[in-house]
Amino acid sequence: MDIEELVSGYVGYLVDSFDEVWTQVKIPADKLEAFSAIGGLLSRQVTLSIELAQAPSTWNGHSAPLFLRSMTDLYITLAWMMDDLDERPQKYVMHGLGEAKLLIEHYKLLLEKEEYQEDKEELQQMIDFREHWINSQRRDFFVEVDVGTWSNLNCRKMAQEADCEELYNFAYTPFSQVAHSMWPHVSVYNTTRCKNPLHKHHLIPALLEVPLDPDYLYRACKYVDKTYKLFEKHFGASIKQMPLDWWGSFWESVSVEQSEKSDSNDT
């Protein structure tokens, strides 16, 4: 199998299919902000899959789950948000603006500290940029800072309400163990057994190489497929070929090509 052929074909398919999905979404005049939010999330989901595809060295248990955790998190967020486009996207946007406003205040505190005076101009540029970004969407005095979760729910509860609890249990949770460097991941991928029996073969740190596995890219493809199905369900945005159908067709063509080469060699 030619990895370069897989990557170029998959990325090209994603670019075309993203345009095909989004152009079918009709945006009501009274829900512009809501559709900006869900459209941005659609774009990010596809972008994450493209970025993973273009970096085959990350198709392993060390790195790929960092992408996949973001993709499962995004899917749960999007699925929950789509069940109430009147309120939930606005909560998502306003919470994000509030976090940006809070960051500005942190930068302003740095401006008052002597050790940051050399960086004063750079810090002010960061403040000005973020203030402009906030005001382009809301006047900053209308933006409230909320340090809680934007949905007032944890991710598991959102997954339950969005009917994707299995995704939470079997994908989001194990991928979160990688993202947060939890023991179930670290003990497998970052340690090995000590060879000294006097040490009771305890675990010691090790830089382990793990094989590349295209299955990680398949999972990214699957999460894009699930995301497209949300847009098909809510907006009727059907496309000629869904991601998993493309994936199956690609590997079928590879199998046929290898079979033809084998037959040719036999003769």
Side-chain angles (χ1 to χ4, degrees):
M1 188 271 293
D2 187 343
I3 290 182
E4 187 174 333
E5 181 183 355
L6 169 61
V7 171
S8 62
Y10 181 61
V11 170
Y13 163 77
L14 286 180
V15 171
D16 293 340
S17 62
F18 167 78
D19 289 337
E20 189 178 357
V21 169
W22 186 245
T23 54
Q24 294 183 62
V25 177
K26 297 179 180 179
I27 305 175
D30 62 339
K31 288 187 173 61
L32 297 180
E33 187 173 72
F35 278 76
S36 292
I38 65 172
L41 287 171
L42 172 65
S43 172
R44 175 158 174 77
Q45 190 77 308
V46 174
T47 299
L48 286 170
S49 196
I50 288 175
E51 291 294 309
L52 179 62
Q54 291 178 328
S57 63
T58 64
W59 300 355
N60 59 64
H62 290 302
S63 304
L66 301 176
F67 286 85
L68 300 176
R69 197 270 193 180
S70 292
M71 296 184 75
T72 53
D73 189 0
L74 188 153
Y75 177 83
I76 292 169
T77 295
L78 189 58
W80 188 79
M81 190 183 295
M82 281 187 167
D83 284 337
D84 184 358
L85 289 175
D86 290 324
E87 293 188 9
R88 292 174 181 177
Q90 185 182 39
K91 288 182 178 180
Y92 169 80
V93 170
M94 293 303 295
H95 188 271
L97 294 175
E99 287 192 328
K101 185 174 182 178
L102 179 59
L103 181 59
I104 289 172
E105 295 306 312
H106 290 321
Y107 280 132
K108 288 180 177 179
L109 289 176
L110 291 183
L111 284 176
E112 300 174 5
K113 296 185 177 181
E114 184 176 348
E115 63 265 36
Y116 289 97
Q117 292 309 300
E118 292 184 1
D119 303 318
K120 187 173 182 179
E121 183 177 347
E122 183 179 348
L123 288 170
Q124 189 59 55
Q125 289 176 351
M126 293 181 187
I127 292 170
D128 292 343
F129 173 81
R130 283 169 174 78
E131 286 182 337
H132 176 75
W133 178 76
I134 292 173
N135 281 287
S136 70
Q137 300 176 62
R138 289 284 196 290
R139 297 301 299 173
D140 58 1
F141 46 79
F142 288 127
V143 175
E144 296 182 359
V145 175
D146 184 351
V147 295
T149 61
W150 70 270
S151 62
N152 296 320
L153 299 172
N154 60 38
C155 191
R156 179 168 189 166
K157 184 62 177 177
M158 288 174 63
Q160 290 172 337
E161 292 189 2
D163 194 27
C164 48
E165 190 173 9
E166 287 189 359
L167 180 70
Y168 176 88
N169 290 334
F170 299 113
Y172 175 90
T173 298
F175 293 151
S176 293
Q177 293 169 353
V178 185
H180 297 297
S181 301
M182 301 300 290
W183 187 239
H185 175 77
V186 171
S187 65
V188 174
Y189 285 89
N190 299 101
T191 67
T192 189
R193 289 288 176 184
C194 175
K195 296 180 181 180
N196 189 338
L198 297 179
H199 295 168
K200 300 180 181 180
H201 301 290
H202 74 300
L203 293 173
I204 58 175
L207 300 177
L208 303 177
E209 292 188 12
V210 294
L212 302 184
D213 189 350
D215 180 67
Y216 286 108
L217 185 59
Y218 163 76
R219 298 188 196 192
C221 179
K222 179 171 68 175
Y223 302 145
V224 176
D225 189 277
K226 290 173 67 67
T227 303
Y228 282 179
K229 285 178 179 175
L230 283 178
F231 281 80
E232 183 178 42
K233 173 185 174 182
H234 289 273
F235 310 119
S238 60
I239 59 176
K240 296 189 292 291
Q241 189 179 41
M242 293 293 284
L244 288 182
D245 294 330
W246 181 92
W247 185 268
S249 296
F250 175 84
W251 289 105
E252 184 178 342
S253 66
V254 169
S255 178
V256 170
E257 183 178 336
Q258 290 177 342
S259 178
E260 290 175 349
K261 286 182 179 179
S262 177
D263 292 342
S264 177
N265 292 334
D266 289 342
T267 58

